[in-house]
Amino acid sequence: MIVCNVSLSCAHCPGGGAGGTAATGTDAYEEVSGSLPPPTLSPRGHLVVAVCLGFIGTFGFLSNFLVMALFCRYRALRTPMNLLLVSISASDLLVSMLGTPFSFAASTQGRWLIGRAGCVWYGFVNACLGIVSLISLAVLSYERYCTMMKPTIADGRDFRPALVGICFSWLYSMAWTVPPLLGWSKYGPEGPGTTCSVDWKTQTPNNISYIVCLFTFCLVLPFGVILYSYGKLLQAIRQVRGVSSVVTRHREQRVLLMVVMMVVCYLVCWLPYGVAALLSTFGPRDLLTPEASITPSLLAKFSTVINPFIYIFMNKQFYRCFRALLSCSVPERGSTLKTFSRPTKTLRTVRHDKEYHVSAPAPSSALPTPDSIHRSSQGANHVSPSPSPSLSNRRSAASQTAAAAAAAANTPKPKLILVAHYRE
């Protein structure tokens, strides 16, 4: 009986079992969370998670670092649209540098390694950078929608809207990730105890109210903005399908594919995480197994790898500069390497009357050129020479003015009903 009492008392010592050995994963979790430990993964499960995190951290760092290097190397990429893309890559790069290595190390050891303060710091940094990425994607889609609705090409040197969008993304994220540090909810261990995030499991009014607001304003709202913006973009493209060429139809299919990939990847990466958080908050305490709780977290971190390939390397500007970087050559000169973010296609459909369905010409295309008017006036007056150079000049100018007025009067004024342009 005495031996049993001694062994029990030693089991609760800070050092662990007999001999003062290192703290186990259970003790570490109790130190971080102050609550009972959850069921942990098997050693093979921790190994699988470590391999996944190693892949995500390595490729996420390399791809996003490459985007930053291309943006700094080539002046043609420094446009307002690409500045928003670089902001997304910067947040993903910081996740790969400041977050993933710690969860990777914890998975290799099967327990959290840097204590309570490290858990709070890890949860805050990853939550803040993740929300920055989400809000930036919504800002990017809304910026494309606003550009599409403008009747003229936007000024490619005006960086103010892009800078405002970037500042809004970071400040909005800070506004939703600082409150847990001040007492509205808290940061704590997540899943099997090898990662940290917002405390999803404490079912108190204080915590539940924060989870509901976070889910609504940081996941559902950005997704709604993305759906609305890209839905309007595709609707505008379909409206001009009747007057589009083969090249334009190819671009339309390409934009449609990109939009579908953006929406699907957004849902695949972030929707499981949001659903798992709600189930942990409102469901039974042991509803999610450790495997079911760590999988959505891995998918959310996998967005740091997917975003560069969808938003960056499918962009012709970045792709051409990437090829030039590999071949150590100058990028191919093309319309996509102008110093402003040009629309890939501007389609104008005009309607004069019920019987007219034509495309809007340029305002000057309906007017005859001065050379053609001069030649026609010379052909009409070649029989009788002009009395004097000044009189001939006056007659030529009068004939030009009369011809221009007649052409303008006979040309029906078009009515612009749609101006749509989109960016690749």
Side-chain angles (χ1 to χ4, degrees), residues 80-81 83-85 87-88 131-143 158-173:
M81 171 71 72
L83 192 62
L84 287 170
L85 297 176
S87 176
I88 298 174
I131 295 176
V132 166
S133 180
L134 291 175
I135 302 302
S136 297
L137 294 178
V139 171
L140 178 65
S141 65
Y142 184 73
E143 193 271 345
D158 187 7
F159 285 86
R160 288 175 296 179
L163 293 175
V164 169
I166 292 172
C167 294
F168 172 78
S169 301
W170 286 85
L171 293 177
Y172 188 89
S173 177

Side-chain angles (χ1 to χ4, degrees), residues 121-305:
W121 176 83
Y122 176 94
F124 167 74
V125 168
N126 280 266
C128 181
L129 296 174
I131 295 176
V132 166
S133 180
L134 291 175
I135 302 302
S136 297
L137 294 178
V139 171
L140 178 65
S141 65
Y142 184 73
E143 193 271 345
R144 284 174 170 170
Y145 163 73
C146 292
T147 303
M148 175 196 69
M149 298 303 294
K150 291 181 181 179
T152 57
I153 299 177
D155 184 7
R157 291 300 184 183
D158 187 7
F159 285 86
R160 288 175 296 179
L163 293 175
V164 169
I166 292 172
C167 294
F168 172 78
S169 301
W170 286 85
L171 293 177
Y172 188 89
S173 177
M174 293 287 292
W176 285 105
T177 52
V178 168
L181 301 176
L182 304 178
W184 191 19
S185 187
K186 62 180 179 178
Y187 294 107
E190 179 186 38
T194 53
T195 60
C196 294
S197 182
V198 178
D199 182 12
W200 307 113
K201 292 189 175 182
T202 303
Q203 298 181 348
T204 60
N206 177 50
N207 194 63
I208 291 176
S209 61
Y210 177 78
I211 298 301
V212 171
C213 292
L214 189 69
F215 181 82
T216 302
F217 293 101
C218 296
L219 184 64
V220 176
L221 182 61
F223 183 66
V225 173
I226 291 174
L227 280 183
Y228 176 81
S229 301
Y230 287 133
K232 287 291 186 179
L233 174 63
L234 295 178
Q235 182 181 1
I237 295 175
R238 291 193 182 98
Q239 287 180 358
V240 295
R241 179 180 297 178
V243 295
S244 60
S245 61
V246 176
V247 177
T248 305
R249 291 192 185 97
H250 176 70
R251 283 176 175 161
E252 176 188 344
Q253 294 174 357
R254 192 165 173 271
V255 171
L256 177 62
L257 176 63
M258 181 180 291
V259 169
V260 171
M261 290 183 62
M262 291 174 184
V263 175
V264 170
C265 290
Y266 184 97
L267 291 176
V268 169
C269 292
W270 293 104
L271 185 60
Y273 192 77
V275 172
L278 292 180
L279 290 178
S280 298
T281 303
F282 296 99
R285 187 175 184 83
D286 298 329
L287 178 63
L288 296 178
T289 62
E291 294 81 4
S293 60
I294 195 63
T295 301
S297 178
L298 292 176
L299 289 175
K301 289 180 173 60
F302 191 63
S303 64
T304 61
V305 180

Side-chain angles (χ1 to χ4, degrees), residues 348-361:
R348 297 183 179 182
T349 305
V350 295
R351 180 174 301 168
H352 303 288
D353 295 313
K354 294 182 179 179
E355 66 273 11
Y356 291 111
H357 298 277
V358 297
S359 297

